Amino acid sequence: MPIARFSPFELLLLQSHSQVDTATLLLQAWILAHRDNVSESQRYRRLAQEAASCGHGHDPGPLMHIAGQRDMQSIQLAAEVLRRDCTAEHGFAVMHKAIAVATDDGSLSLANHYILRFLADLLNIAPATLETLFQELAGAPLGPPQDPSQDAYWRKHNPAHYRRQAEREAEQARAQAEQAEARQKAEQQRQQEQEREQARAQRERQQHEHRRQQERQRQQERQHSHASTPPPDRTLRALAVLGLAREASRSEIRLAYRRMAQLHHPDRVFSQSERQVALASQRFQRIKKAYDYLMQQH
């Protein structure tokens, strides 16, 4: 059969001169562990003062250690010892000590507010009686405990958090304002660029339309010029090629052709360059065409 192992607090109870006093000291250590702005040495000295006036018979250090570790099984065992063995008269004394330990500096933490109400219920002390005891010992009304779920509680007990939150919100607001300003500037630049682009497009359209109008005007002028100026007479051009006047006769045309053909026949320049030969051939062809045309007309 396995040997039962006792917890540190159970061993203290077994070795204690008074289990009620030991349980009371653990609950007082529990209260001290929930005091605000109190050092470990201050908690130990305060618990040692209480231990000196009771029948615990041991160093209170282990009790302070158990309470500091939030050993709720030991806290529950201490509460059961008080409920079982503590008389009504002694219960009031325990309550007095608990209130004094919780309010040495005039303040009461939220956790200890609930612990005092828990001890009062454990010791069968009515809420009204607890409030009277608290008023007599602490010099201030107990009142209802603050609600840690409310924002107002944390604004009072943790103002640094709200300062940091306000700074973050202010920084976010500044960043958002800068982003909004940057977006506004970007939008203004985009609109200005769009307006410039539209102006350029408008100028280009106007220039294109102006060029089109000029081109239409030139075409109209050319058409008007062509309509007002009679086309050159082919007969006159043919006579000019042969070097003849308007009233030249058929025989004069024939003689002029023979003279021009002999003078400009390509065979006369066959020994010269190809370019000279080509130019002579072109002249001869013009002479031949002019002659053929004039002979057809006469």
Side-chain angles (χ1 to χ4, degrees):
M1 184 175 181
I3 300 175
R5 294 185 178 180
F6 295 101
S7 68
F9 181 63
E10 288 174 330
L11 291 175
L12 287 175
L13 285 176
L14 292 174
Q15 299 169 5
S16 174
H17 298 163
S18 171
Q19 290 189 350
V20 171
D21 287 345
T22 301
T24 301
L25 285 174
L26 179 59
L27 294 175
Q28 290 174 344
W30 187 33
I31 292 173
L32 287 168
H34 288 86
R35 285 277 301 273
D36 296 330
N37 303 319
V38 178
S39 66
E40 290 297 326
S41 60
Q42 289 173 326
R43 291 188 178 96
Y44 177 80
R45 287 196 299 270
R46 185 66 180 86
L47 188 64
Q49 292 175 1
E50 294 297 325
S53 62
C54 68
H56 171 64
H58 299 286
D59 177 30
L63 291 173
M64 196 70 251
H65 178 71
I66 293 171
Q69 290 184 327
R70 306 297 197 271
D71 185 350
M72 297 311 298
Q73 289 184 346
S74 296
I75 299 296
Q76 181 180 2
L77 179 57
E80 291 175 356
V81 170
L82 285 184
R83 183 174 56 187
R84 184 189 64 213
D85 299 333
C86 186
T87 64
E89 181 179 358
H90 190 65
F92 275 96
V94 172
M95 199 73 239
H96 273 267
K97 291 181 179 181
I99 293 172
V101 170
T103 59
D104 276 345
D105 60 352
S107 64
L108 179 66
S109 68
L110 178 63
N112 280 335
H113 196 139
Y114 284 103
I115 291 174
L116 291 181
R117 290 185 178 276
F118 164 74
L119 290 178
D121 183 66
L122 179 70
L123 298 170
N124 294 318
I125 297 174
T129 304
L130 172 63
E131 293 173 3
T132 301
L133 290 174
F134 189 88
Q135 178 74 40
E136 292 175 352
L137 294 174
L142 178 61
Q146 292 178 291
D147 187 356
S149 66
Q150 298 296 320
D151 185 68
Y153 171 84
W154 294 106
R155 287 187 180 277
K156 176 181 178 182
H157 290 83
N158 193 6
H161 167 75
Y162 286 89
R163 284 196 300 271
R164 292 191 297 270
Q165 184 178 13
E167 292 172 356
R168 288 194 298 270
E169 291 175 352
E171 182 63 27
Q172 290 176 356
R174 284 194 296 271
Q176 290 175 356
E178 291 175 356
Q179 291 175 358
E181 184 178 0
R183 287 194 296 268
Q184 184 178 6
K185 289 182 178 179
E187 180 63 20
Q188 290 176 349
Q189 292 177 354
R190 187 189 67 80
Q191 291 179 353
Q192 292 174 355
E193 181 62 27
Q194 186 176 9
E195 290 173 357
R196 288 193 292 268
E197 184 63 28
Q198 291 175 349
R200 284 196 298 270
Q202 181 66 20
R203 288 195 300 271
E204 290 176 357
R205 286 195 297 269
Q206 291 175 349
Q207 293 172 356
H208 179 67
E209 183 61 27
H210 181 66
R211 287 194 295 270
R212 290 182 60 186
Q213 290 178 355
Q214 289 180 333
E215 182 63 26
R216 284 196 297 267
Q217 185 176 359
R218 285 193 292 268
Q219 289 178 356
Q220 291 174 357
E221 291 175 353
R222 286 195 297 269
Q223 291 173 358
H224 179 71
S225 176
H226 292 164
S228 61
T229 304
D233 190 350
R234 184 177 179 183
T235 300
L236 295 178
R237 292 198 303 271
L239 290 170
V241 170
L242 296 178
L244 296 173
R246 180 185 294 270
E247 61 277 4
S249 63
R250 186 178 181 89
S251 59
E252 290 175 338
I253 294 172
R254 186 179 294 109
L255 290 174
Y257 168 70
R258 290 176 180 174
R259 185 176 62 252
M260 296 291 291
Q262 290 177 0
L263 182 63
H264 297 287
H265 198 280
D267 291 344
R268 293 175 62 88
V269 293
F270 72 94
S271 62
Q272 298 182 16
S273 64
E274 293 182 359
R275 184 172 181 277
Q276 295 294 330
V277 173
L279 291 175
S281 297
Q282 291 177 0
R283 285 194 299 270
F284 182 78
Q285 290 296 327
R286 285 198 299 272
I287 293 169
K288 181 67 169 59
K289 288 181 180 179
Y291 169 74
D292 291 342
Y293 174 76
L294 290 175
M295 293 304 290
Q296 291 174 1
Q297 301 299 318
H298 284 73

